């Protein structure tokens, strides 16, 4: 580990920090200790062998079970010659066990309907390892199959020597994929705050040299020492009968026994102290501009979870929330030096939190950025917060508690299982939301600005802040210069923050015209939905569901989207995505909207899609009318404020930073434009995007918002009468809308595939190479074929995943899919993508070639068809239980495309009727390698950035 710079240069500004003693030993599981009554249906127990269990019945979704296996071991438990071993053991659980040797486990679960990835995953942290299964039904037999898998993880991993060698490459591939500029920055920040902490010496992924050197006997010794029943906990949530589950747990897992002597918990499991305040600079060519953070590590020793201990945390949360909103407002004022402010108090290491104020800015503006952050931090520390700020924060917190209570009846089992997982690890009580609401209700009402100021000061008192800067290497400033700038800033007088005196207290839009009248309404009985048409041309589709209590989803298609985008103005859609809602409305800027939204549970977004502009919203049932008022205000009076360009440029710079610093990102920059031959698609160049203006956006989008065709869906826990009344007063009351044109661009054709792959060399592109193939599918006839294309893509992905993993020990991430471009049906395509080590690129290309050729010549094999079919069918059956499916897939354009209703009727039966021959026929028609666009990207890690990465850097600076 590199030595940390001495703090002498920063002594004028920064001084000593408090040190706290470490907790030396800890039991595997913390005892729950607090004064809240636990969830009355939660059953907690311990098997005779010491394994804990938590069982909670939950009917959402129906006939499903979520399982978690927690093992109290992570990278902190590794010896010096075992770095990365905890994570490697987790990988080997999928590689082979006594009952499921040689990778047969994944195939067995696939045949059961459990897909690798979304339903069958694992994760290793500093101090725990997690295994996750989502079962396809709630039968006793399926539950026991899932518990049988957990038993294999717990005591049956074989560590086959051949498979160990293959998995080393997969581990290296995963590490390389995650080795991003932002990840490197985060690691450097951790080293800055806790340079001697055990976690710094025990990164979860391990060290490459150690991973290469690990021997089989080390795996067995580590596994036997730490994978012990008393260090394990099982969570079962779902459509279950708790008594039957308890019996199954004892019968399936109760006989697991220790296989060897236990090891002692490391004495330095928790960091004893943070570093002294200092300034650190992390430079990386993958970063753009400069991000400056004020930070303060705060020790959080465990205390009994009582109301008395929760109230100070409440005051802290309110204080940090208020400062975050304040900085957001200041960042949007003319002349602001920074963008994207973030204020947080988050977990760092075990028993620590980090208070942080972070902003982004241009390198040339760094002095003003640093000075402004220092001033705002000092202003908050000296004067605290206003009554108006507290009123907004209090209202939002009360609304969050109320929304949790109203929606808890339909919380999904997978989410509840994740909360129970956190409860086990932290020793916190898992209570009903109404209990938590009552617990803090009085404290929320009584909290004062003084309470929040005192809490804010407690967090930051004890030392000056640590200052961490992450920047592009063009940032040539020294630590001493930064310290001098901050010292100079302290001479500026801080005055109490005052909000705008003329701030609106009432939303300025509540009437949009006479209440809308219906031309007709049709009730589709078999699907239990309604299709309505207003006199002004607006089309409304509605379905009442019970999937999410007290929650409504809105999806509105407006105008024609990219169908009318000028082809000579690429990037106009991306700027519109930010500026339509980011610019606010005529009577309120986006920041002026913040207090008007206080106490409401709603979220509104805007996006330009291929054949329409879309507003999407999710809101509490009680906020439906107000949410529609907000959307109607954007439709009738969008502001298109030019000041949104600061946020847009920051967002685009961040986007290009991510794309140009990775091989996969560079393929993304090239692929869609090459595939479609149309500059409206894919990612524009930096020069193209940064030349777009708000005036251009307004010229293109404003007519669509004010007069374009509208078809919308309202889906969720809302009756037809309630939805109709809210829409009639808002969207249905707008001036007349145009009719939607159908048929634009239907003759557009994909470009002709080149004869050779496009090779992209990426300066500073990390340690991974990337390959992607795209097959145009211009003649997909209907949804019947579209469903088969999606399953065919799963077959292709599974084939390539297995071969890349088995033959190369590579490809941590392999993905495939079918993308249908609405409005441009001839531009639809199938793709396959993988990341591998650069030395494996040629072999990976050969595998893609061989598997695509084999599929196109010989068709789909029976076993692979069965393995991908079951998770595919299970996923599609689950979709039908989601508001997002009905709002976005079926109803958002059901009147423009009436066939969508028939698609919904046949979705499950037609998907289940897909045959192997169907897929083979599609493969023969489309998947010949000669029909594909091929991209190969390789890193040039030791050369300076150039090209589009340089252009993006110029934009950031």
């Amino acid at each position: 580990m590199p030595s940390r710079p001495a703090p002498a240069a920063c002594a004028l500004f920064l001084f000593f920090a408090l040190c706290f003693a470490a907790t030396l030993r800890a039991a595997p599981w913390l005892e729950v200790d607090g004064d809240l009554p636990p969830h009355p249906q939660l059953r907690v127990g311990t098997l005779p062998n010491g394994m804990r269990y938590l069982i909670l019945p939950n009917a959402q979704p129906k006939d499903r079970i979520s399982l978690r296996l927690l093992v109290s071991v992570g990278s902190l438990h590794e010896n010096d010659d075992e770095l990365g071993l905890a994570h490697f053991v987790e990988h080997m659980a999928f590689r082979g066990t006594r009952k499921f040797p040689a990778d047969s486990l994944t195939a067995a679960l696939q045949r059961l309907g459990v897909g690798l990835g979304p339903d069958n995953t694992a994760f290793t942290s500093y101090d725990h390892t997690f295994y996750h299964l989502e079962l396809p039904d709630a039968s006793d037999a399926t539950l026991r199959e899932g518990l049988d898998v957990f038993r294999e993880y717990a005591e049956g991993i074989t560590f086959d020597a051949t498979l160990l060698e293959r998995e080393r490459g997969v581990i290296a591939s995963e590490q390389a994929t995650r080795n991003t500029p932002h990840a490197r920055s985060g690691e450097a920040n951790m080293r800055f705050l806790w340079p001697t902490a055990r976690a710094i010496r025990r990164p979860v992924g391990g060290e490459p040299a150690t991973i290469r050197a690990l021997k089989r006997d080390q795996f067995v010794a580590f596994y036997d020492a730490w994978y012990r029943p008393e260090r394990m906990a099982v969570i079962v949530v779902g459509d279950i009968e708790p008594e039957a589950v308890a019996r199954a747990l004892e019968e399936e897992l109760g006989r697991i026994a220790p296989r060897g002597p236990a090891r002692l918990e490391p004495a330095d499991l928790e960091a004893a102290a943070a570093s002294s305040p200092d300034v650190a600079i992390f430079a990386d060519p993958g970063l753009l501009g400069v991000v400056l953070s004020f930070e303060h590590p705060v020790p959080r020793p465990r205390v009994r979870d009582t109301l008395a201990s929760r109230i100070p945390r409440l005051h802290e949360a309110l204080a940090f929330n208020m400062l975050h909103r304040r900085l957001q407002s200041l960042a949007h004022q003319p002349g602001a030096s920074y963008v994207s402010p973030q204020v947080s108090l988050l977990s760092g290491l075990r028993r620590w939190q980090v208070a942080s104020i972070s902003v982004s800015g241009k390198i040339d503006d760094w002095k003003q950025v640093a000075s402004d952050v220092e001033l705002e931090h000092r202003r908050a520390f000296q004067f605290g917060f206003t009554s108006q700020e507290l009123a907004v924060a209090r209202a939002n917190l009360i609304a969050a508690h109320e929304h949790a209570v109203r929606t808890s009846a339909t919380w999904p089992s997978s989410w509840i299982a994740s909360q129970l997982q956190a409860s086990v690890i932290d020793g916190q009580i898992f209570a009903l939301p109404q209990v938590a609401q009552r617990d803090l209700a009085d404290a929320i009402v009584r909290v004062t600005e003084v309470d929040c100021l005192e809490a804010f000061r407690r967090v930051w008192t004890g030392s000056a802040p640590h200052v961490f800067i992450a920047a592009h290497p063009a940032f040539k400033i020294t630590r001493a210069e930064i310290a001098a700038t901050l010292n100079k800033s302290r001479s500026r007088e801080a005055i109490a923050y005052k909000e705008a005196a003329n701030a609106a207290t009432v939303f300025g839009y509540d009437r949009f015209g006479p209440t809308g009248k219906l031309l007709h309404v049709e009730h589709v009985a078999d699907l239990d939905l309604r299709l309505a048409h207003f006199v002004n041309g607006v089309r409304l589709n509605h379905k009442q569901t019970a999937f999410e209590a007290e929650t409504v989803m809105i999806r509105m298609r407006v105008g024609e989207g990219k169908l009318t985008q000028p082809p000579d103005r690429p990037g106009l859609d991306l700027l519109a995505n930010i500026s339509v809602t980011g610019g606010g409305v005529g009577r309120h800027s986006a920041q002026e909207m913040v207090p008007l939204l206080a106490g409401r549970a709603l979220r509104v977004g805007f996006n330009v899609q291929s054949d329409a502009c879309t507003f999407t919203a999710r809101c509490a049932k009680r906020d439906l009318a107000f949410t529609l008022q907000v959307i109607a205000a954007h439709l009738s009076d969008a502001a298109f404020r030019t000041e949104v360009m600061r946020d847009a440029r920051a967002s685009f710079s961040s986007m290009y930073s991510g794309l140009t610093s990775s091989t996969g990102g560079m393929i993304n920059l090239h692929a869609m434009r090459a595939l479609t031959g149309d500059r409206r698609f894919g990612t524009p160049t930096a020069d193209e995007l940064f030349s777009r203006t708000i005036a251009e956006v307004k010229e293109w989008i404003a007519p669509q918002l004010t007069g374009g065709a509208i078809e919308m869906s309202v889906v969720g826990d809302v009756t037809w009468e309630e939805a109709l009344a809210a829409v009639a007063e808002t969207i249905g009351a707008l001036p007349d809308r145009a009719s939607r044109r159908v048929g634009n661009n239907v003759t557009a054709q994909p470009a002709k595939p080149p004869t050779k792959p496009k090779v992209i060399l990426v300066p500073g592109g990390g340690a991974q190479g990337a390959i992607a193939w795209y097959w145009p599918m211009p003649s997909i006839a209907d949804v019947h074929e579209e469903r088969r294309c999606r399953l065919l893509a799963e077959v292709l992905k599974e084939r390539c995943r297995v071969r890349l993993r088995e033959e190369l020990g590579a490809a941590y991430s392999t993905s495939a899919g079918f993308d249908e471009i609405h409005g441009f049906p001839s531009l639809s395509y199938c793709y396959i993508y993988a990341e591998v080590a650069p030395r494996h690129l040629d072999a990976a290309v050969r595998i893609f070639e061989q598997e695509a050729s084999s599929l196109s010549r010989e068709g789909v094999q029976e076993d692979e068809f069965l393995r991908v079919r079951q998770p595919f069918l299970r996923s599609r059956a689950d979709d039908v239980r989601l508001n997002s499916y009905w709002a976005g897939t079926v109803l958002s354009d059901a009147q423009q495309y009436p066939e969508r209703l028939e698609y919904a009727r046949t979705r499950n039966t037609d998907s289940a009727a897909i045959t192997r021959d169907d897929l083979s026929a599609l493969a023969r028609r489309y998947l010949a390698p000669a029909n594909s666009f091929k991209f190969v990207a390789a890193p040039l890690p030791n050369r300076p950035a150039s090209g589009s990465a340089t252009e993006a850097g110029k934009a950031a600076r």
Side-chain angles (χ1 to χ4, degrees), residues 562 564-577 608 645 652 655-656 669 672-673 676-694 696-697 700:
K562 284 189 181 181
T564 61
Q565 180 177 343
D568 63 344
R569 295 181 182 178
L572 200 57
D573 53 326
L574 298 184
L575 183 54
N577 291 345
V608 177
M645 285 300 297
F652 296 152
M655 177 186 75
Y656 281 113
L669 282 171
M672 283 305 297
R673 186 166 288 187
T676 63
D678 192 315
R679 295 172 72 198
R680 290 173 290 183
F681 294 95
T683 305
T685 67
D687 284 342
E688 289 171 340
L689 183 53
F690 284 105
S691 67
R692 300 280 71 85
T693 68
I694 296 295
E696 291 175 327
V697 172
W700 172 47

Side-chain angles (χ1 to χ4, degrees), residues 459-540:
V459 169
W460 290 95
T461 298
S463 70
H466 292 64
V467 180
F468 182 78
I469 293 175
H472 188 274
F475 186 79
K476 302 296 186 182
I477 312 305
T478 67
R479 295 165 54 246
E481 289 176 288
I482 295 166
T485 296
L486 293 171
N487 284 325
K488 182 178 179 180
S489 176
R490 291 177 65 83
S491 66
R492 292 193 298 169
E493 180 185 4
I495 60 175
Y497 178 74
K498 293 182 179 180
E499 295 179 287
N502 59 348
T505 58
V506 177
F507 188 55
Y509 303 83
D510 60 353
R511 294 293 297 170
F512 300 91
T515 301
K517 303 296 183 183
L518 288 179
L519 279 177
H520 74 266
V521 60
E522 174 189 359
H523 180 224
V524 182
D526 64 321
L527 297 176
D528 192 21
L529 53 85
R530 285 176 171 81
L531 310 176
H533 192 177
F534 283 87
V535 170
N536 68 347
V538 168
R539 299 177 185 270
L540 167 65

Side-chain angles (χ1 to χ4, degrees), residues 55-77:
I55 303 170
L56 185 64
N58 184 62
Q60 181 65 24
K62 189 177 185 300
D63 197 34
R64 294 288 187 267
I65 299 176
S66 289
L67 297 181
R68 302 288 188 275
L69 173 65
L70 282 63
V71 188
S72 182
V73 63
S75 61
L76 292 179
H77 297 87

Side-chain angles (χ1 to χ4, degrees), residues 402-411 548-551 618:
E402 291 174 348
H403 190 64
V405 171
R406 291 194 302 268
T407 60
S408 60
T410 53
W411 284 348
E548 296 180 76
E550 295 288 326
T551 302
R618 178 184 175 89

Side-chain angles (χ1 to χ4, degrees), residues 238-269:
D239 197 359
I240 55 174
E241 197 285 303
E243 194 64 41
V245 172
R247 286 195 301 271
L249 286 170
E250 183 158 2
E251 292 168 6
E252 300 296 332
L253 304 178
R255 292 188 297 274
I256 295 174
R259 297 173 303 282
R263 295 184 189 177
L264 293 176
E265 293 281 341
D268 58 345
L269 199 63

